Structure formats: C-alpha cells, structure tokens
Amino acid sequence: MNPPAAAPMAQGSATFPGFGEDAGLGLPNLTPQLEREITARLTSRDFSAWATSAARVGHCAKPIRLRGHSQTVDVATGEVVGSYSSDDEPLGVLHVRCGNRRASECPSCSRTYAADTFHLIRAGVTGGKGVPEHVTDNPLVFATVTAPSFGLVHGKRDGRKCRPFTPKGMPGVCEHGRPTVCHATHADGDDLLGQPLCRDCYDYLGHIVWQWWAPELWRRFTIALRRALARALGLSDSRLGDLVTVQYAKVAEYQLRGLIHFHALMRLDGPKTSGGFAAAPAGATATLLAAAVEEAVAAVSFDAPPQFEEDPVRTLRFGTQIDVRPIKTTSRTDDPDRELTSGQVAGYLAKYATKSAGDLVNGDNPHLRRLRATIAEVSDRVAADVRADGTPLRDHPYALLAKWNRMLGFRGHFSTKSRRYSITLGRLRRARTRFQRRLADANRHSQTLDVRELDDLLADDLEETTLVIGQWSYAGSGWDTEGDAELAKAAAARAREYAAWRAEKKRHPNR
Ligand SMILES: [Zn+2]
Ligand SMILES: [Zn+2]
Ligand SMILES: [Zn+2]
C-alpha cells in the first residue's frame, strides 16, 4: 500500500517540516484518558494494520464498519474473476468513509465533499468532466443575494468606521439608552462584528421568520427570473423554454449576524428540448441575464404566516444589497474591467459550500445565544397554541422550527444546483470508486496507474463489464476509541499540511 505522506522531497529543496523524527503529532490539549488510548494504539501490535485501514479511508474520523464478502463476476462469461472478504482485512472488518460534509464532524470527508463540489461547480462554467467545452460561451453571471436588515449591527466597512452617523430618522440613543453610532474601525476577527448595537432593539422574531422562509423566497425568485427573462426577450412565459433556460449552482452562507445569504452562478443555455448545455441564442447576453436577475430579486416577496397568536403577517423580501456581475470565462475577453474569473468564482462557491454549515453555527456569542433562545421560545409558544386549539402540530407552518435551531432556523440545503447545470456528485463518487478499484488492481500487480486514463472514468456510457455481488452487514460506526479518532484526525491534518506545503513548493520552487 502507498503511505499517505510518502517521502516527498524535491531535489535539493527543504523537506516538509511536518515529516520526520522530530515532528510532533500535533495533538494539543489531550485529556489523560485520550493520552492513554493514543499511547495504547501507538504501541499496540496491530498498529500497522490500524494505520493501513485508517489510510485507506483517508483518515476519516468516524468510518462505518462493515462485515461481509463479495465476488466480482465477468458479465460476458459468468466467470468469478475476484473475491473479497472483510475477514482478509488487517482488522477483520471493512472500513468505509463516513461521508460527512461538516468539517467539525470529519475534516477528511468534508474536504472530499468540498473538492467534489468545486469540480462540479467548475465543470458547469469551464466544461470538462462530461460537460461540453462550449458551455464556456454561454452567458454567465455571479449573484449575491442578501437578507434585509433587522437592526443595526457592527460591521467591517473596508477600513472605514463602523457606523459613524445616526441613521436618518433615528435618535442618537435608542430607547434602551444605547448609542446608534459606533466610531470604531473593526478588523477581521473582532468579536463585535455582526453583533447588534442594541440586542433589545434588534428584531429577533423578524430575523427568524425571514430565515425560515428563505428557501421559499429563493423558489419564488427563480419563477420571477423566468418571467423577467421572457419579458426582456419579448416572449410569453410559456414559450421561454423554447429559446432559453437558466441553470444555476447556488450556495447558502451565514453572515456574522447569523442570517444566510445566497451566492449563485447562473448560466443562460439554449432551449430546454436540447437536453442541456446548448448555446444561448444571439441577443441573450450576460448583461441581459444580470438585469433580469436584479429585476427578479427586487420583485419577489412572500407574506409569511404569523408564528403564534398576536404575531403579525410579515411581507418578506430580499435585502436591497444585491451584487450581480457578468463573469469572464476563459474564451471571452470582451469585459476587461471585470476582475472575477470563472475559476475564482467556482472556488468561492465550493469554499462556502463546506464552510457555511460549520463555523458560524457552532459559534457562541451573545447575539447567537439570544437567537437560539428566541427560536426555543417561539417553538414553545407554537406547541402551546397547537395544544390549545387542537390542530395537529405537523400542520403548523413553524412546527419544525425547534429541529432547525442548530442551523439558526435555516432549513434549506447549503449547496444546490439545477438539474442541467453540471454533472452530479453521484457521478463523481462513482468515478472515484472506479479509480480506487483500478488503483487497488494496479497495486496488486505492482503496476503504476496512467493518470491520463482517468478522464474516461467519468464517461456516461462507460460499459461495466464486471458485476460485483456481495453480502454485507453493518458492524458499527467509528473507531474503537476516541484516541483512535484523534489519531486519524491528526494524520488527516498532517496530510492536508503536506498538500499545502507541496502546492506552495510548486509555486515557489526556490523558497
Ligand atoms: Zn469521514
Ligand atoms: Zn461597531
Ligand atoms: Zn435599544
């Protein structure tokens, strides 16, 4: 088997600082219990078996354990060409990656998910991985759609002061005696960023209702966008699909104030009937698409039902801060003053897709605590109202709010795409499985694998000439001890550092 961080050394250059006898494992703040478990593992007789298993699942923090066996059958001849049993594994059990998308749960699997998301977002912009190259010529815009304001919050304004002026029509001090201005210049990482100037003035109920219905606002936006496009192109709504379709990849990201906003790449393709990726007709430009997006964002609204008795109906809209810009793709050079390139944008989106669900939601500060407490209060009142008038809880529009408290009331997906935007994550995963199978074969026969062969792994019509038949049972989740999990995470972190170090070396070979 190939070790995860095989001696990387480029000729004459410095070696990877995290590799070698003196390099520590990077396991700070261990409890005595964890320390005992880790020491036991490192000195155990089956350490190398464990290390092999851990490396095979990419140092997943909580792999699934399976027991069973399988046979590989040649479809043409019916001959059994290979067999596998988990009994042959060094630890007597087959480990499979947990596949968790959250970095806080499994750093290794969340990175794989981020990489896959990046590839599928990028393929929709630049082509490749089964998406035709000519999508590059289709009009493309990058839009950021925000939530409205629910009260003054501290913010970072490009080196300028936070809130130097009292907003129009507002006194300099709120009814709770707190100032409505802030003369500080906040730097990144300042604890005040995103915190309300006055939590008693901040509209927590409005905030929660908006977040709860944000997916509905987005759905309405996509309908409004089709109408705006039809108008701009002089078509009826029903005829639009004969000429153009809009494909998008969208990611939800939390802002520091605990509200999500949406980033989306939107692409204008030819008619629906073409099966996707067809060229957009002349006249359907990125500028026209950008204008239609802006019009649709401004037009969309939704009357949200009250949360409990005496709560008002709120008319929800997106925030007035909206950024829509045409994207330069590789073959296009007609927009020199636009800085974003398609590759950069795909990178941003993929980063948001994994970052969004983790960092902020796990954070703790007075504003987030108040937000969670308010969600819990609302949920209690919903339950009480339902008991009082005897309607089934599931019919209540906010019945599930408590379940989404962890996500601060956002129940949508963090990354979604329209059907014909790109390839799917499933296809990427199948390709990876095929790759691993070929790599294992190559290793068994002591051959090297030609990376150029790998493109055809994504081919749609790849003919499977063998069939795998097996019987498996679930034997549990996770490593034997917390200490094992910490070791796996440390190894995954080291592999990540090594990859970053190698990338840096490649950029600056003489440093
Ligand atoms: Zn995992
Ligand atoms: Zn401030
Ligand atoms: Zn106040």
Side-chain angles (χ1 to χ4, degrees):
M1 280 319 296
N2 47 335
M9 316 312 133
Q11 46 309 30
S13 62
T15 55
F16 175 50
F19 192 83
E21 292 289 304
D22 320 326
L25 272 171
L27 291 161
N29 314 321
L30 289 183
T31 62
Q33 170 74 13
L34 278 176
E35 213 173 296
R36 270 195 301 279
E37 289 172 0
I38 289 171
T39 311
R41 173 57 74 196
L42 289 173
T43 54
S44 70
R45 274 201 309 181
D46 60 0
F47 175 72
S48 90
W50 182 86
T52 304
S53 299
R56 267 191 215 158
V57 288
H59 299 104
C60 169
K62 203 183 174 186
I64 294 157
R65 302 194 299 274
L66 297 175
R67 276 208 182 87
H69 54 84
S70 69
Q71 289 187 323
T72 307
V73 180
D74 187 317
V75 176
T77 64
E79 184 192 355
V80 176
V81 292
S83 64
Y84 170 87
S85 165
S86 58
D87 292 342
D88 305 335
E89 287 292 326
L91 296 177
V93 61
L94 174 67
H95 289 94
V96 181
R97 275 174 170 279
C98 74
N100 202 303
R101 298 175 178 196
R102 293 220 206 126
S104 54
E105 302 284 330
C106 182
S108 171
C109 292
S110 74
R111 263 177 75 83
T112 305
Y113 169 71
D116 283 358
T117 304
F118 172 75
H119 284 304
L120 82 81
I121 288 172
R122 195 182 147 86
V125 172
T126 60
K129 309 229 180 267
V131 177
E133 299 270 324
H134 67 247
V135 292
T136 319
D137 297 324
N138 288 3
L140 187 73
V141 303
F142 184 57
T144 298
V145 181
T146 60
S149 168
F150 294 98
L152 302 176
V153 296
H154 294 280
K156 194 173 142 272
R157 307 185 209 279
D158 300 326
R160 284 179 292 127
K161 285 182 176 178
C162 173
R163 297 197 160 272
F165 308 110
T166 299
K168 230 164 127 187
M170 228 186 249
V173 174
C174 77
E175 58 175 297
H176 311 97
R178 299 184 182 110
T180 52
V181 294
C182 171
H183 293 290
T185 305
H186 303 294
D188 277 330
D190 188 329
D191 287 344
L192 275 177
L193 287 172
Q195 300 288 309
L197 270 70
C198 175
R199 282 193 293 281
D200 296 318
C201 282
Y202 192 87
D203 179 11
Y204 284 94
L205 288 176
H207 175 133
I208 291 165
V209 171
W210 190 92
Q211 190 109 296
W212 187 244
W213 296 106
E216 175 63 15
L217 269 181
W218 178 268
R219 193 185 69 82
R220 288 171 177 239
F221 157 73
T222 59
I223 296 166
L225 176 60
R226 282 197 290 274
R227 291 204 183 120
L229 270 177
R231 246 193 323 278
L233 293 165
L235 295 166
S236 68
D237 291 3
S238 58
R239 290 283 321 280
L240 183 72
D242 299 340
L243 198 63
V244 295
T245 52
V246 180
Q247 302 299 335
Y248 68 85
K250 149 182 148 280
V251 162
E253 185 205 16
Y254 286 102
Q255 295 173 283
L256 288 169
R257 57 178 172 149
L259 281 161
I260 54 117
H261 59 195
F262 294 118
H263 302 283
L265 265 172
M266 286 183 251
R267 194 183 69 215
L268 212 49
D269 284 7
K272 207 188 245 166
T273 47
S274 67
F277 311 118
T285 62
T287 315
L288 179 131
L289 176 58
V293 168
E294 279 180 17
E295 186 188 327
V297 168
V300 66
S301 73
F302 172 64
D303 286 339
Q307 302 169 96
F308 42 80
E309 230 169 285
E310 291 156 35
D311 191 37
V313 171
R314 292 177 179 82
T315 301
L316 309 181
R317 297 181 175 282
F318 286 117
T320 47
Q321 272 185 309
I322 160 173
D323 182 41
V324 187
R325 52 176 102 183
I327 299 303
K328 182 163 59 176
T329 52
T330 42
S331 75
R332 221 180 292 141
T333 50
D334 55 357
D335 39 3
D337 50 338
R338 298 294 186 177
E339 283 165 40
L340 288 178
T341 66
S342 52
Q344 282 172 313
V345 168
Y348 292 157
L349 275 190
K351 194 185 79 196
Y352 295 143
T354 44
K355 190 191 110 194
S356 52
D359 305 350
L360 185 108
V361 164
N362 294 322
D364 185 33
N365 62 49
H367 176 54
L368 294 181
R369 277 201 290 277
R370 177 88 166 246
L371 200 48
R372 291 190 185 106
T374 313
I375 291 175
E377 256 169 59
V378 168
S379 302
D380 287 348
R381 290 189 69 167
V382 166
D385 281 1
V386 161
R387 270 197 304 276
D389 49 73
T391 51
L393 179 65
R394 64 180 138 74
D395 291 346
H396 197 286
Y398 298 91
L400 296 174
L401 184 60
K403 264 184 89 169
W404 294 92
N405 200 343
R406 244 189 81 108
M407 293 288 119
L408 305 176
F410 177 62
R411 55 179 160 161
H413 292 289
F414 284 96
S415 103
T416 51
K417 58 179 199 57
S418 58
R419 219 159 62 86
R420 296 193 195 288
Y421 170 77
S422 178
I423 47 163
T424 62
L425 276 177
R427 228 168 114 197
L428 278 175
R429 287 196 192 113
R430 280 195 296 280
R432 193 176 322 106
T433 308
R434 286 172 188 152
F435 169 70
Q436 276 158 356
R437 215 183 296 155
R438 282 195 205 175
L439 187 66
D441 275 350
N443 280 340
R444 244 195 313 278
H445 301 112
S446 305
Q447 290 162 346
T448 49
L449 197 61
D450 187 347
V451 184
R452 280 167 304 182
E453 285 174 26
L454 299 180
D455 258 355
D456 66 83
L457 289 171
L458 281 156
D460 220 358
D461 49 358
L462 185 78
E463 226 173 275
E464 295 281 7
T465 51
T466 57
L467 185 68
V468 181
I469 305 163
Q471 198 167 35
W472 295 96
S473 64
Y474 174 73
S477 284
W479 298 109
D480 288 350
T481 65
E482 277 299 305
D484 283 358
E486 287 304 317
L487 263 184
K489 283 189 206 168
R494 187 54 50 84
R496 235 170 12 248
E497 286 160 20
Y498 170 60
W501 175 84
R502 200 171 46 177
E504 185 62 26
K505 274 281 154 209
K506 222 166 153 184
R507 266 197 299 276
H508 309 286
N510 300 318
R511 204 173 273 178

